[in-house]
Amino acid sequence: MTRPSPARVGQRLDDIDTPALLLDLDAFEHNLDALDRTLAGRTIRVRPHAKSHKCPDIARIQVARGAVGVCCQKVSEAEVLVEGGIEDVLISNEVVSPAKIDRVVALARRARIGVLADHPEAVDLLAAAAAKAQVRLDVLVEVDVGAGRCGTPPGEPAAALAARIAAHPSLRFAGIHAYQGAAQHLRAPDERRNAIAQAVDKVHATLSALRARGLDADVVTGAGTGTYPIEAASGVYTELQPGSYIFMDADYGRNLDAAGESVHAFRQSLFLLATVMSRPTESRAVVDVGLKAHSVDSGMPLVADLTGAHYTKASDEHGVIEIDPGTPLPLGSKIRLIPGHCDPTVNLHDWLVCLRGDRVEAVWPISGRGAFS
């Protein structure tokens, strides 16, 4: 059952029920423009990562602004996006279970679908299912470029897997996936540059091995919000996958530039609206945003717009705010919180309440909420 929206178009901020996930549309649009500005003059495609927003309304905006398509992590996310009108979706993950592969090839009848592989058996499973369904499926080789997660080793092992893909008539070797996820939250700029330089070296080794086999990678895709300018400048990547840039969060705000300032050209657009539900002491308030409303894997949220108030701990339904002397925070008042990690926080909500100033302009369903299969 779809839960009712916490807000209606035209309402003021103070009238929104809580907890609610807010999108500041002015900041959101600034972020879309900022990405375009940082990539101006470069012949590089953008494929934003929809795992951040899980929202077809946002994906359609990104495509309308020139994105080649979107990517996502799960088959169920891809299903939501295709149903929402997105015609080019890369599942930037391995898919190996027969039931999920059948869902992938079914989607390939409706849209251009890509998927990753890092093992020969996975390639053969994808090929058999695509042949049975009489579709041709795009498959990219995932290369481990330093994150130590999924991916085949760079160079000849990756090229051998690409050749296996190319040998199947039901598959198309579409390129290589080279995402250095571990680099996204390295705080110092030199650390990020060094990590991506090593990733680029691994991409070069893989491209060389592909050429030796007579193969070309039409697509070299990867990059995230924390490093995409570096991949864009490398001359190797043809496609970028930033996701969190539209929202931002407290953790990304800790990435610094050489001067020790926040590195990002992006503004915080995603907030949690909370109500002060208890004032048990002069130095403590309790709000109605707890663990079931936001993710704390990257730390507690920050209190926006109010100095002297600090979100210090969370339980299932409660958040404890420590208050400095003289800080006004009366019972029933509402505050905005900056999530520690935007992606899993979004996944906890059914609706994105979109504000222009203090008025609700739109309410978008987070249709991919809970889509983890």
Side-chain angles (χ1 to χ4, degrees):
M1 182 183 79
T2 302
R3 293 169 183 82
S5 165
R8 300 187 307 274
V9 172
Q11 277 186 317
R12 291 190 178 277
L13 175 66
D14 286 343
D15 296 324
I16 297 171
D17 199 10
T18 62
L21 193 65
L22 307 181
L23 182 65
D24 179 329
L25 287 172
D26 290 332
F28 168 72
E29 291 164 2
H30 166 89
N31 293 346
L32 294 170
D33 292 338
L35 182 73
D36 292 342
R37 284 195 301 271
T38 60
L39 298 176
R42 298 190 184 278
T43 55
I44 194 164
R45 297 184 294 271
V46 176
R47 183 182 292 277
H49 218 309
K51 74 180 179 71
S52 295
H53 56 71
K54 292 175 169 275
C55 177
D57 289 272
I58 291 179
R60 289 193 294 269
I61 289 169
Q62 291 171 317
V63 170
R65 293 177 67 102
V68 67
V70 299
C71 53
C72 61
Q73 287 296 89
K74 297 291 186 173
V75 178
S76 51
E77 289 176 334
E79 289 167 336
V80 167
L81 291 162
V82 171
E83 188 65 28
I86 305 304
E87 298 178 349
D88 189 329
V89 180
L90 170 63
I91 303 169
S92 54
N93 209 347
E94 283 68 25
V95 180
V96 298
S97 75
K100 287 187 177 64
I101 290 173
D102 285 345
R103 289 160 59 192
V104 169
V105 297
L107 277 179
R109 295 194 186 100
R110 303 172 59 193
R112 181 170 184 172
I113 301 295
V115 67
L116 307 187
D118 65 359
H119 195 283
E121 291 180 22
V123 170
D124 295 345
L125 288 169
L126 291 166
K132 182 179 178 181
Q134 297 184 319
V135 299
R136 196 160 187 233
L137 191 63
D138 284 359
V139 182
L140 289 78
V141 173
E142 181 163 21
V143 181
D144 183 0
V145 292
R149 194 170 62 184
C150 297
T152 190
E156 177 53 28
L161 192 64
R164 193 179 189 105
I165 295 167
H168 284 290
S170 60
L171 304 181
R172 185 176 80 88
F173 169 57
I176 64 174
H177 186 268
Y179 174 58
Q180 220 307 14
Q184 301 310 308
H185 300 279
L186 295 174
R187 302 309 178 199
D190 286 347
E191 291 180 306
R192 294 191 295 276
R193 279 194 296 269
N194 290 340
I196 300 307
Q198 293 176 42
V200 168
D201 287 344
K202 292 177 172 64
V203 172
H204 277 302
T206 302
L207 294 176
S208 179
L210 286 170
R211 286 192 294 269
R213 285 178 170 265
L215 294 170
D216 290 316
D218 292 338
V219 173
V220 178
T221 186
T225 297
T227 64
Y228 80 90
I230 310 171
E231 283 96 342
S234 71
V236 171
Y237 285 78
T238 66
E239 194 174 272
L240 305 175
Q241 300 177 4
S244 300
Y245 75 99
I246 56 169
F247 293 147
M248 301 306 288
D249 54 34
D251 193 80
Y252 263 122
R254 299 182 187 108
N255 283 10
L256 304 177
D257 63 14
E261 301 293 332
S262 180
V263 69
H264 293 290
F266 307 119
R267 295 177 183 168
Q268 185 64 42
S269 71
L270 188 75
F271 300 90
L272 285 158
L273 188 65
T275 298
V276 177
M277 57 188 293
S278 175
R279 281 300 314 266
T281 73
E282 287 297 315
S283 62
R284 185 169 77 250
V286 181
V287 297
D288 60 352
V289 169
L291 294 172
K292 293 179 182 177
H294 64 98
S295 174
V296 300
D297 63 300
S298 296
M300 296 297 165
L302 304 177
V303 179
D305 316 315
L306 186 64
T307 58
H310 313 278
Y311 192 115
T312 58
K313 64 179 180 179
S315 52
D316 284 358
E317 315 292 354
H318 303 83
V320 174
I321 310 287
E322 298 295 338
I323 307 168
D324 294 345
T327 300
L329 199 57
L331 187 72
S333 61
K334 292 181 179 178
I335 60 172
R336 296 192 309 167
L337 303 173
I338 298 172
H341 189 179
C342 57
D343 296 13
T345 294
V346 169
N347 190 52
L348 296 170
H349 292 262
D350 291 300
W351 302 96
L352 197 55
V353 179
C354 307
L355 290 134
R356 185 83 63 184
D358 71 343
R359 288 278 187 179
V360 178
E361 185 171 299
V363 181
W364 292 336
I366 303 172
S367 305
R369 185 242 172 117
F372 53 77
S373 65

